[in-house]
Amino acid sequence: MAGSNCTPVTEFTLTGFTEDLVTQLTLFLMFLLIYLLTILGNLGVITLIKASPLLRSPVYYFLGNLAFVDLCSSTIIIPKVLADFLSEKKGIAYSGCMAQVFIYDLFGMTECFLLAMMAYDRYMAICHPLVYPLVMSPKRCLQLVTGSYLVGLTNGVGQTIGMSSLSFCSSNVLNLFFCDISPLISLSTSNTALSHLLLRTSASVFGMSSCLVVLVSYVAIISAILSIQSAEGKRKAFSTCTSHLTTVSIFYGTALFMYLKPSSDSSREDKWVVVLYTMVTPMLNPLIYSLRNKEVKEAWRRL
């Protein structure tokens, strides 16, 4: 535990990426472009799904919620990063840091379960098409989406409570561009054994359970596709999953690498892995689903 003469940290300093002005300007423009594309892409998907009668199936209901989650998770990080590029003092208040931890953990875990629900939806559509309309009814879809948000809320509240019990005295420098749990735990002067246990347990129980749903669903999907006799039938069946599979691979691969790897100080390479799943993935999701989905492209054309 921290000593009685500990002066609590009221603000954290974010190291960002570089001190070179030219590189900072380049990164500012790059991240600004990423954020604009993220806003336009995800808002466009949400608007299209609401406006188009063609996109009334469960998969697009899940996709609309995924776009909303991506929009929120990006907004809690990227504007602050852009502001830091224009500011000499790259800092964030303790309360703002805790708010960032809570909101990002809420929407990050919600996205995990939304992707799992989308995998389950594809499993039902391909492996059990006759009962698909009954099982994936509007009421059931609402329950699955609500459950995803509740799991995300549970994760956000639990992680934030765990973080608020830690003491920060000796240093306030975070070697990252936003308040993430792992570097915050490493920075604490308290006994962090319980915090590490909570983080690993949350990542294992929530993250791995949603990942397991995806894996089991796609094992069954691939098995069903391979049993189809015609090559054209196999191609059509698999084409309905490629967009989701691409998104899942990027999101789960980078996120599980960061949160389940051995504890260590964040390296420059780690920062770019974090950029991939906090900034690039939310930008790519609407592009992946728009460019590879015939129904979405047809809906855009009609709109």
Side-chain angles (χ1 to χ4, degrees):
M1 296 295 292
S4 58
N5 61 346
C6 168
T7 302
V9 168
T10 59
E11 185 180 58
F12 293 100
T13 299
L14 305 171
T15 60
F17 295 91
T18 179
E19 295 297 326
D20 181 71
L21 292 178
V22 175
T23 306
Q24 283 194 44
L25 177 60
T26 303
L27 291 176
F28 174 83
L29 294 175
M30 183 180 75
F31 291 150
L32 178 61
L33 178 61
I34 288 174
Y35 188 51
L36 291 175
L37 290 175
T38 300
I39 293 175
L40 293 174
N42 287 290
L43 281 179
V45 166
I46 294 171
T47 303
L48 184 66
I49 291 173
K50 291 288 187 181
S52 176
L54 291 176
L55 308 179
R56 291 289 183 265
S57 60
V59 64
Y60 297 112
Y61 178 67
F62 291 124
L63 179 58
N65 281 276
L66 181 66
F68 171 74
V69 167
D70 282 337
L71 195 60
C72 292
S73 60
S74 296
T75 300
I76 196 62
I77 293 177
I78 302 182
K80 174 59 179 170
V81 174
L82 294 175
D84 285 343
F85 278 123
L86 303 177
S87 174
E88 293 184 5
K89 186 179 181 181
K90 299 175 175 61
I92 182 170
Y94 177 86
S95 58
C97 191
M98 293 301 106
Q100 202 171 55
V101 167
F102 168 71
I103 297 174
Y104 186 74
D105 278 22
L106 188 163
F107 288 113
M109 191 58 68
T110 300
E111 180 157 357
C112 282
F113 276 81
L114 282 176
L115 290 172
M117 295 307 101
M118 293 174 76
Y120 176 71
D121 172 79
R122 291 299 83 203
Y123 159 74
M124 290 302 304
I126 293 175
C127 300
H128 303 284
L130 297 180
V131 297
Y132 176 76
L134 179 64
V135 174
M136 301 303 293
S137 63
K139 181 179 178 181
R140 177 63 58 83
C141 291
L142 176 62
Q143 291 172 342
L144 292 174
V145 168
T146 302
S148 298
Y149 282 107
L150 288 176
V151 172
L153 180 62
T154 302
N155 180 64
V157 170
Q159 297 292 355
T160 306
I161 291 175
M163 291 302 307
S164 63
S165 66
L166 297 179
S167 299
F168 300 91
C169 303
S170 59
S171 175
N172 69 335
V173 179
L174 279 173
N175 188 24
L176 202 59
F177 53 88
F178 78 107
C179 288
D180 198 15
I181 294 180
S182 294
L184 279 170
I185 292 176
S186 301
L187 201 63
S188 174
T189 53
S190 302
N191 185 339
T192 60
L194 180 59
S195 298
H196 279 294
L197 179 62
L198 286 173
L199 177 60
R200 296 296 172 86
T201 301
S202 174
S204 300
V205 173
F206 291 143
M208 294 304 292
S209 61
S210 60
C211 189
L212 184 62
V213 172
V214 174
L215 288 175
V216 172
S217 297
Y218 273 103
V219 167
I221 288 171
I222 292 172
S223 176
I225 290 176
L226 292 177
S227 66
I228 299 175
Q229 297 299 322
S230 67
E232 181 64 17
K234 290 180 180 179
R235 187 191 66 79
K236 287 183 178 180
F238 190 72
S239 66
T240 65
C241 304
T242 52
S243 298
H244 179 258
L245 195 56
T246 302
T247 300
V248 163
S249 300
I250 297 173
F251 180 83
Y252 277 103
T254 53
L256 290 177
F257 168 77
M258 285 302 300
Y259 287 105
L260 294 181
K261 69 182 181 67
S263 298
S264 62
D265 292 334
S266 298
S267 65
R268 184 179 297 272
E269 290 75 18
D270 285 346
K271 287 183 182 180
W272 289 107
V273 174
V274 176
V275 167
L276 184 61
Y277 77 83
T278 59
M279 300 186 189
V280 178
T281 300
M283 177 194 69
L284 290 179
N285 285 346
L287 297 177
I288 291 171
Y289 278 96
S290 298
L291 296 177
R292 297 187 61 88
N293 191 300
K294 291 182 179 179
E295 290 180 331
V296 173
K297 288 190 287 187
E298 178 63 19
W300 275 119
R301 188 188 67 78
R302 292 191 180 187
L303 189 66

